[in-house]
Amino acid sequence: AQKVTQAQTEISVVEKEDVTLDCVYETRDTTYYLFWYKQPPSGELVFLIRRNSFDEQNEISGRYSWNFQKSTSSFNFTITASQVVDSAVYFCALRMIYNQGGKLIFGQGTELSVKP
Amino acid sequence: KAGVTQTPRYLIKTRGQQVTLSCSPISGHRSVSWYQQTPGQGLQFLFEYFSETQRNKGNFPGRFSGRQFSNSRSEMNVSTLELGDSALYLCASSLRWGGEETQYFGPGTRLLVL
């Protein structure tokens, strides 16, 4: 069975602090995709990144960076110099490549609060 | 390009009633998935449609059903509503089914069952 664990339920930081959101996944498949989505209070899930299981290169996009380590089944997300607008719930998700179409398996989410 | 749209945005129903939610995918997208989000269970996959055919189904009772039309728009229906069906229902669309496709979500429909 596949599973995604986001152990941090809530994180609170002060603006300009760096923060890392943890994501650990479980699957026996060797081919899969990993995602991060952001859910602001409006409710819509906003796509942030997709990573293929074959590609362990870290990625940086502005203040956002992602660290994918297959050896520890982790796909962590770091926000550098956090801002109040980063306050949201962040979800990590797993999707199999074969035979399950677009079905996403989500973690429980981490609620990030950035205070001014 | 317009994003995924869902109607209605808010809905209040009473136990035993039925409800139909609508989802219009991003133009050109042919795959639509539905998810239920509750505080207790989190985000759970309901079902997925591609080319008017259900391709995948989550672990929900038969009261939950859906369909997709030839223009890729999708509806989901919940019959005999229960209090536990109160949730945010999210729809997502992607170009094709599976593969490298990324799913883009709509704003959701908040359903409250009294």
Side-chain angles (χ1 to χ4, degrees), chain B residues 29-40:
Chain B
H29 284 196
R30 295 173 59 201
S31 180
V32 173
S33 301
W34 288 89
Y35 292 81
Q36 181 197 64
Q37 185 177 20
T38 60

Side-chain angles (χ1 to χ4, degrees), chain B residues 81-95:
Chain B
L81 283 166
E82 300 177 359
L83 295 179
D85 296 333
S86 294
L88 177 66
Y89 290 88
L90 291 161
C91 165
S93 77
S94 60
L95 270 174

